[in-house]
Amino acid sequence: MAYALTLVFEGLDEADYWSVNEKLGIGQDGRGDYPAGLLVHTAGPSPAGWVVTEVWDDQASHEAFRVGRLGAALEATGVAPPTQVIDASSVNFQRLG
């Protein structure tokens, strides 16, 4: 069953977002070293700062990425962890197109 989550980063801006992605090896051109198990990633500004929404093949894939690569990238760039995480097992995930 797919795993979906939304991460809210208060005070984060676009420059911070791309700085973290650069540390992850992911470029603004959409190319890069995407983590195993990531199916969908979208991100953008919100009144609080920045919001990231993702769908993963399962929760274990996300946890491996979070504990390993993402944690290191956040630390290296000085970006605080998300202030809110909303997660759910995805009952209905379909690839469209």
Side-chain angles (χ1 to χ4, degrees):
M1 183 176 296
Y3 174 71
L5 72 156
T6 298
L7 307 168
V8 178
F9 292 88
E10 288 185 20
L12 195 75
D13 63 19
E14 186 172 359
D16 296 322
Y17 170 77
W18 287 116
S19 177
V20 172
N21 276 283
E22 182 179 318
K23 289 290 181 192
L24 292 170
I26 298 169
Q28 292 187 33
D29 62 1
R31 296 183 181 150
D33 184 19
Y34 288 95
L38 179 63
L39 303 175
V40 175
H41 172 93
T42 186
S46 77
W50 205 260
V51 174
V52 174
T53 299
E54 297 178 330
V55 178
W56 291 77
D57 60 354
D58 61 30
Q59 189 171 358
S61 294
H62 172 261
E63 287 298 317
F65 170 70
R66 184 186 64 79
V67 171
R69 291 176 56 197
L70 181 59
L74 292 174
E75 186 175 328
T77 57
V79 171
T83 55
Q84 184 178 11
V85 177
I86 304 164
D87 64 340
S89 294
S90 182
V91 174
N92 181 16
F93 173 73
Q94 298 177 13
R95 294 179 195 267
L96 305 176

